[in-house]
Amino acid sequence: MDKRGVMAVVVVISILAIVSAAIHVGHSNTKSDQSSDIGSEKYVQITDQEGRVVTIPANVTRVAAISGQAYEKLILLNQTDKIAVTMSAWTNLPWSSRIAPQLKGIPIEDDPNVEDLMSKKVQVVFCRSYDGTKEKLNSTNIAAVVTQKNSGNPDNVDSFVKYVKQEIALYGEVMGPDAKKTADKWGAYFDQKVNYVTSRTANLTDSQRPTVYYARDATTTQGKNSYPQFYVEMAGGKYLSGDTEGIETITPEQLLVWDPDVIFVGRVNSTDIIMNDSKFSNLEAVQNNKVYLCPLGIVYWDYGAEGVLLMEYFAKTLHPDLFEDLNMTNEVKDYYSRFYHYNLTDDEANRILQHLPPAST
């Protein structure tokens, strides 16, 4: 073969190598903490919450936020302008668009198709392990980053604290250096608040810890090893659930058997589902008027980053004598100023604490 033939073969091999590398962008593999150049763009590898090593662009500018409360994480990290697609979840939570009005202009697609994501030049999709997204993206150069998984979740408080910080850190790692700094700042804040609460509740005896039922609605709860369970435990309560992980449905008879000291109502707008139902009139919590409506911010507090505030709210409610110095109005105002760069008034913070939407303007 003459010199021109050799050169042609070299060129063809080089082109094939570039194409092959491009096809695998976004797919998981066995290496991590590496960077590479494909064509003119640089790529890095990250490890998502499912333990998958995923190749992503070093400079991520277009994402689809279709994992549970992904939009909240991007607001937290000041990356809202990079959301190309989001879920409808925020539309039922009026504080989200008050704090981040940009959400109103972002297309909503709870189950977007691949062609649409490509047309919007999406580089990364934040998704759940069980929603089918990562499988749909297998043959594309769009990276699927799992932020919520369906199994292998934390089973004790220490692993839970680590897991929550890992989730925020993952978003920061994907979104770049500025986001990573904010994620690190949030992680330090989370540690500080966990230490503040648990240092006061750690030595409570079993009899000093009230039993707690968390109601998504009257007979639907978050089962064992859930975020509400760990927040209740850190706040000095005993969490009531069955043997099921994830969302659990119980019977009214089971709730009567548990007979909780305290009930927190999470994802509905009123405690009437418990307080005004004759089936539950004999419950200890009802008779002692200890049924409380959880606050509502830009996300539901039970599974969002604002869960750190829910932990404090639980602690203040369950053990007011231990937390006399804890002013929840100030805590909410500080959090929103610190991480959302939004200065709430006292009235606005109190409306969040009372599960109320923003006042009409």
Side-chain angles (χ1 to χ4, degrees):
M1 184 180 296
D2 62 20
K3 186 178 297 185
R4 285 178 300 175
V6 171
M7 290 300 295
V9 170
V10 170
V11 170
V12 169
I13 291 173
S14 298
I15 292 172
L16 288 173
I18 291 172
V19 171
S20 176
I23 289 173
H24 286 84
V25 172
H27 291 194
S28 62
N29 53 46
T30 57
K31 299 179 181 179
S32 62
D33 301 323
Q34 297 181 1
S35 62
S36 60
D37 293 300
I38 300 174
S40 60
E41 189 164 11
K42 187 173 183 180
Y43 290 81
V44 297
Q45 292 179 323
I46 56 92
T47 302
D48 69 11
Q49 286 289 78
E50 201 174 37
R52 299 161 59 252
V53 178
V54 183
T55 303
I56 64 170
N59 181 30
V60 173
T61 59
R62 301 280 287 175
V63 302
I66 61 170
S67 176
Q69 316 220 47
Y71 72 89
E72 176 220 21
K73 311 305 187 299
L74 296 167
I75 296 171
L76 165 67
L77 300 177
N78 197 27
Q79 302 292 307
T80 317
D81 62 327
K82 296 178 183 177
I83 304 176
V85 177
T86 191
M87 294 179 75
S88 60
W90 69 267
T91 59
N92 295 320
L93 303 164
W95 283 104
S96 55
S97 56
R98 171 62 64 90
I99 304 305
Q102 311 97 303
L103 287 174
K104 294 179 179 178
I106 298 172
I108 293 172
E109 299 180 37
D110 291 320
D111 185 22
N113 63 61
V114 172
E115 291 76 14
D116 187 64
L117 293 174
M118 294 177 70
S119 72
K120 290 181 168 60
K121 303 187 186 306
V122 169
Q123 301 158 298
V124 172
V125 176
F126 293 110
C127 62
R128 295 166 290 197
S129 64
Y130 46 90
D131 63 10
T133 300
K134 65 180 189 286
E135 290 79 11
K136 287 198 301 185
L137 297 177
N138 269 342
S139 60
T140 75
N141 64 349
I142 301 173
V145 175
V146 172
T147 63
Q148 294 176 327
K149 56 184 182 176
N150 201 33
S151 61
N153 288 308
D155 59 5
N156 59 65
V157 166
D158 289 340
S159 62
F160 169 71
V161 170
K162 181 179 179 181
Y163 183 85
V164 171
K165 290 190 296 182
Q166 280 179 339
E167 183 183 11
I168 303 301
L170 172 61
Y171 280 92
E173 190 175 8
V174 171
M175 301 310 299
D178 290 342
K180 186 179 184 304
K181 288 179 184 176
T182 303
D184 291 343
K185 178 182 172 184
W186 187 93
Y189 173 92
F190 186 70
D191 279 339
Q192 176 193 348
K193 296 303 181 181
V194 168
N195 291 336
Y196 164 69
V197 170
T198 58
S199 66
R200 300 187 184 193
T201 62
N203 295 323
L204 291 171
T205 65
D206 191 65
S207 63
Q208 291 172 319
R209 294 175 176 269
T211 56
V212 174
Y213 175 70
Y214 178 81
R216 284 176 67 115
D217 63 37
T219 54
T220 303
T221 185
Q222 292 290 159
K224 68 176 184 177
N225 297 334
S226 61
Y227 283 39
Q229 173 184 330
F230 295 122
Y231 288 134
V232 164
E233 290 179 356
M234 287 190 285
K238 290 187 290 187
Y239 191 80
L240 297 172
S241 72
D243 296 326
T244 304
E245 293 193 12
I247 298 175
E248 181 177 18
T249 300
I250 64 169
T251 64
E253 291 74 21
Q254 178 62 69
L255 186 53
L256 292 169
V257 169
W258 281 342
D259 196 17
D261 298 316
V262 177
I263 296 174
F264 290 109
V265 178
R267 295 207 179 196
V268 293
N269 296 326
S270 173
T271 60
D272 289 350
I273 60 168
I274 302 289
M275 294 295 291
N276 290 354
D277 190 326
S278 60
K279 293 194 299 292
F280 304 122
S281 60
N282 290 326
L283 288 174
E284 188 83 8
V286 172
Q287 294 191 350
N288 292 331
N289 200 31
K290 290 191 174 182
V291 180
Y292 302 98
L293 188 62
C294 289
L296 182 65
I298 72 168
V299 290
Y300 294 111
W301 279 13
D302 54 5
Y303 268 82
E306 289 181 22
V308 63
L309 297 171
L310 185 62
M311 174 191 62
E312 291 186 295
Y313 173 78
F314 285 163
K316 179 75 173 181
T317 305
L318 297 175
H319 299 286
D321 293 341
L322 281 181
F323 293 95
E324 286 184 319
D325 60 329
L326 177 57
N327 184 312
M328 284 305 301
T329 301
N330 290 343
E331 290 297 303
V332 173
K333 289 175 65 177
D334 175 66
Y335 187 93
Y336 274 57
S337 173
R338 187 188 299 249
F339 294 111
Y340 300 151
H341 310 291
Y342 186 97
N343 295 319
L344 295 168
T345 64
D346 284 354
D347 179 68
E348 287 176 317
N350 288 330
R351 291 184 72 85
I352 289 172
L353 288 167
Q354 294 164 24
H355 198 104
L356 294 172
S360 299
T361 56

